[in-house]
Amino acid sequence: MYSPAIGKVIPISEVNDAMFADKLLGDGVGIILEDDLLCSPCDGIISMIAVTKHAIGITSTIGAEIIIHVGLDTVNLNGKGFEVLVKENQKVKVGDPILKVDRVFMESKNIDLTTPMIVTNCLSFNVSIVQDKKKITYKDELLTILK
């Protein structure tokens, strides 16, 4: 799994939302976004796009189910500030653009843009964190997922 964004990686346990920090939805990392574009972290298929556009699910070619949840409490924006660049069931490759975020709008609403990227079916895989507390850019390796 590769970085979907430019920013800084933090451990999932440091994300300011217990649902993610306590790994209730799965294991992964948090990314503090420093750009407005998110790209696919793996080869796979877009399996879910939240109605509110704040989260996208991808099923990787090995069956890992990934959710990228942009920001905290962004569900309450009802899609404002997001431009989805893909469709459900669309095939994607590492680095394909999937979502744009209006950072100016988000900052005007005081939105925390910490973005969890989690493997929701992590019990079926061995998930290892490759990067931790480090600046990242697109396609930097973040997670290793083995069956």
Side-chain angles (χ1 to χ4, degrees):
M1 249 354 97
Y2 298 91
S3 173
I6 295 172
K8 180 183 174 192
V9 179
I10 61 171
I12 197 72
S13 61
E14 292 181 16
V15 171
N16 194 23
D17 183 317
M19 188 72 78
F20 297 107
D22 295 342
K23 300 182 183 180
L24 299 177
L25 297 175
D27 199 2
V29 295
I31 302 167
I32 300 171
L33 296 184
E34 294 179 1
D35 196 17
D36 63 353
L37 182 67
L38 281 99
C39 296
S40 180
C42 61
D43 293 348
I45 295 176
I46 301 296
S47 54
M48 183 276 301
I49 300 171
V51 174
T52 52
K53 303 179 187 175
H54 73 288
I56 292 184
I58 302 169
T59 302
S60 77
T61 54
I62 65 165
E65 296 171 358
I66 312 303
I67 288 186
I68 300 172
H69 186 285
V70 182
L72 306 178
D73 296 325
T74 48
V75 68
N76 299 325
L77 298 174
N78 293 315
K80 291 186 181 116
F82 297 106
E83 179 186 353
V84 177
L85 305 174
V86 290
K87 294 181 172 29
E88 281 190 25
N89 299 314
Q90 179 178 329
K91 288 184 180 181
V92 289
K93 298 248 181 236
V94 172
D96 286 352
I98 58 173
L99 183 71
K100 281 190 82 167
V101 179
D102 183 340
R103 292 175 52 81
V104 173
F105 173 77
M106 297 296 173
E107 289 167 9
S108 77
K109 299 290 184 188
N110 293 316
I111 297 295
D112 180 342
L113 281 178
T114 301
T115 297
M117 182 174 87
I118 55 174
V119 181
T120 59
N121 61 345
C122 61
L123 297 179
S124 300
F125 296 90
N126 181 2
V127 178
S128 301
I129 310 302
V130 175
Q131 302 282 358
D132 202 0
K133 293 195 176 191
K134 183 177 178 185
K135 292 277 280 183
I136 52 159
T137 190
Y138 302 108
K139 297 186 181 181
D140 283 350
E141 191 175 357
L142 285 185
L143 305 172
T144 300
I145 302 174
L146 303 171
K147 268 196 165 203

